[in-house]
């Protein structure tokens, strides 16, 4: 009898200890699972020091203020106009510990026309942070003083207007196609590897006009004149430059930057990221830093950014098909 009592006491004690240990384990597991519990990888698909990197570094400063215990770890995965980095973002574990910077329309055009190893459905969208409108620019002493004068010349001289763009299946390329669609012109398309090469070609007299972005032309305003901006309204960085719409050409075209995580990322982690990015974009000091760096800031929440990307996909697909660039 005494042995049975001892055995029963031992079993009860063992059960109590086991339950206590289980509870501690669960509590410990719950604490460690609180997001973020480790540093977050930040994939940049373009070179260090470029516009995408500069913008992300500005955001990093304010992330560190809001989430000081878990910094960003930058990883530069470059090549193919961002497609290699975008593909790595899509393949990463959907655990909230890999964020990536994306560019639109790059991420739309690459799967459509270049067989990229990702698609726009492979991501959850955190936020848009930059809207960099495209412009039509000429040399300071150019004979052209308006976009209409450019169009008139191109119509009178098919194939002679030399237009510089950066890459094919890019934002510049897409705007040129839209300009051709809306005006009926047939220019000579001159393709460059990067904005620096394109700017040098314009300044060297190789081009009649170039299609670039606000951020691309700001450093050369003493040598070029901007004839029009493809935005809904005049831009604060280029006061006095009329929109294409104001000049009778219904085109709004830009390059936008935003941030994504892989599809299937935990909803709580995604919401945490969306909330932090929103707070950063509302910070007056961040806004001032962006302006100082020449980064045309425009915040858009993740849900709206996703809708925008899908809408741009439909627009680009129709335009590329019209010009026979995809089937």
């Amino acid at each position: 009898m005494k042995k049975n009592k001892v055995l029963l006491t031992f079993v009860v004690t063992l059960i109590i200890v086991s339950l206590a240990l289980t509870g501690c384990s669960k509590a410990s597991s719950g604490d460690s699972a609180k997001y973020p519990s480790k540093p977050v990888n930040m994939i940049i698909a373009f070179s260090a020091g470029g516009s995408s990197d500069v913008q992300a570094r500005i955001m990093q400063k304010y992330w560190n203020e809001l989430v000081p215990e878990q910094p960003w770890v930058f990883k530069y995965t470059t090549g193919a106009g961002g497609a290699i980095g975008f593909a790595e973002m899509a393949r990463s574990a959907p655990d909230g510990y890999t964020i990536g910077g994306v560019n639109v329309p790059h991420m739309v055009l690459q799967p459509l026309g270049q067989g990229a190893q990702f698609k726009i459905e492979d991501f959850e969208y955190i936020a848009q942070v930059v809207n960099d409108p495209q412009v039509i620019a000429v040399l300071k002493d150019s004979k052209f003083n308006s976009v209409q004068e450019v169009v008139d010349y191109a119509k009178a001289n098919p194939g002679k207007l030399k237009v510089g763009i950066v890459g094919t299946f890019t934002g510049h390329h897409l705007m040129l196609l839209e300009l051709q669609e809306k005006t009926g012109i047939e220019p000579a398309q001159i393709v460059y590897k990067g904005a620096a090469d394109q700017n040098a070609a314009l300044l060297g007299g190789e081009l009649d006009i170039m299609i670039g972005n606000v951020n691309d032309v700001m450093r050369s305003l003493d040598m070029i004149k901007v004839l029009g901006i493809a935005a809904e309204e005049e831009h604060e960085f280029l006061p006095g430059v009329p929109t294409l719409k104001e000049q009778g050409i219904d085109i709004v075209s830009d390059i936008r930057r935003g941030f994504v995580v892989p599809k299937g990322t935990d909803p709580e982690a995604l919401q945490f990221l969306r909330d932090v990015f929103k707070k950063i974009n509302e910070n007056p000091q961040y806004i001032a830093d962006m302006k100082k760096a020449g980064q045309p800031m425009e915040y858009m929440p993740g849900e709206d950014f996703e809708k925008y990307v899908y809408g741009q996909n439909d627009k680009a697909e129709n335009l590329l098909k019209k010009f026979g660039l995809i089937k």
Side-chain angles (χ1 to χ4, degrees):
M1 185 73 176
K2 189 175 180 179
K3 287 184 178 180
N4 289 341
K5 285 183 178 181
V6 171
L7 181 61
L8 180 61
T9 301
F10 176 78
V11 171
V12 170
T13 302
L14 188 61
I15 291 172
I16 291 171
V17 170
S18 296
L19 289 172
L21 289 173
T22 301
C24 289
S25 175
K26 286 182 178 178
S28 175
S29 175
D31 291 341
S32 65
K34 185 179 179 182
Y35 178 83
S37 61
K38 60 181 181 180
V40 178
N41 294 315
M42 170 61 74
I43 295 178
I44 301 296
F46 300 92
S47 300
S51 294
S52 294
D53 181 44
V54 169
Q55 191 283 321
R57 291 289 181 176
I58 295 171
M59 289 205 77
Q60 178 193 30
K61 173 183 173 182
Y62 295 94
W63 168 277
N64 289 344
E65 291 181 2
L66 294 170
V67 194
E69 67 280 4
Q70 301 303 346
W72 286 350
V73 178
F74 279 73
K75 180 178 182 182
Y76 299 93
T77 308
T78 63
I84 294 175
F86 301 158
E88 180 166 334
M89 295 171 206
R91 291 193 302 265
S92 298
D95 56 8
Y97 291 97
T98 298
I99 300 173
V102 293
N103 289 33
V104 183
H106 301 59
M107 68 179 299
V108 165
L109 294 168
Q110 289 162 351
L112 285 174
Q114 296 178 314
Q117 300 302 302
F118 69 90
K119 52 187 184 297
I120 59 174
E121 294 86 0
D122 291 337
F123 305 104
E124 307 281 2
Y125 294 78
I126 300 171
Q128 171 192 296
V129 296
V130 164
N131 179 348
D132 195 357
Q134 305 207 75
V135 301
I136 294 175
V138 297
L139 276 175
K140 205 83 168 179
D141 60 357
S142 170
K143 62 184 177 182
F144 300 123
N145 292 299
S146 71
V147 176
Q148 189 58 52
E149 288 181 11
V150 172
V151 170
D152 291 342
Y153 173 83
K155 285 183 175 180
N157 301 274
K160 290 189 177 181
L161 180 75
K162 291 177 287 185
V163 182
I165 62 172
V166 174
T168 55
F169 293 98
T170 62
H172 293 180
H173 187 199
L174 199 65
M175 177 168 161
L176 178 56
L177 294 178
E178 196 167 2
L179 186 63
Q180 291 177 237
E181 178 191 41
K182 294 289 173 67
T183 64
I185 65 172
E186 296 179 6
Q189 172 184 292
I190 314 296
V191 181
Y192 295 91
K193 289 184 178 180
D197 298 330
Q198 179 196 37
N199 284 1
L202 180 68
L203 296 175
E206 295 176 21
L207 300 172
D208 295 309
I209 72 169
M210 64 170 265
I211 292 175
N213 293 87
V214 170
N215 194 247
D216 297 331
V217 302
M218 291 300 293
R219 71 200 76 174
S220 305
L221 288 178
D222 57 332
M223 295 177 282
I224 65 175
K225 55 185 174 184
V226 181
L227 302 183
I229 184 168
E232 292 286 358
E233 56 189 26
E234 182 179 302
H235 199 279
E236 63 173 328
F237 287 6
L238 295 171
V241 175
T243 67
L244 296 187
K245 282 189 170 185
E246 289 172 332
Q247 299 181 69
I249 303 172
D250 188 13
I251 296 177
V252 173
S253 184
D254 46 56
I255 290 178
R256 303 194 181 202
R257 298 190 192 101
F259 292 89
V260 300
V261 288
K263 190 73 173 179
T265 294
D266 177 69
E268 290 187 8
L270 176 61
Q271 191 58 52
F272 177 91
L273 292 169
R274 285 176 170 174
D275 290 344
V276 170
F277 275 62
K278 184 174 186 290
K279 288 177 183 176
I280 291 173
N281 278 270
E282 291 172 344
N283 186 323
Q285 292 177 312
Y286 165 79
I287 294 170
D289 283 350
M290 287 284 284
K291 187 172 183 179
K292 184 178 179 181
Q295 294 275 347
M297 177 195 161
E298 184 180 278
Y299 170 75
M300 185 186 291
E303 298 91 335
D304 295 337
F305 184 36
E306 181 174 8
K307 291 176 184 175
Y308 173 80
V309 171
Y310 278 70
Q312 288 299 299
N313 185 78
D314 294 340
K315 175 183 175 180
E317 186 174 15
N318 291 334
L319 198 55
L320 293 174
K321 284 181 177 178
K322 181 171 183 177
F323 281 87
L325 297 175
I326 62 172
K327 295 181 179 179

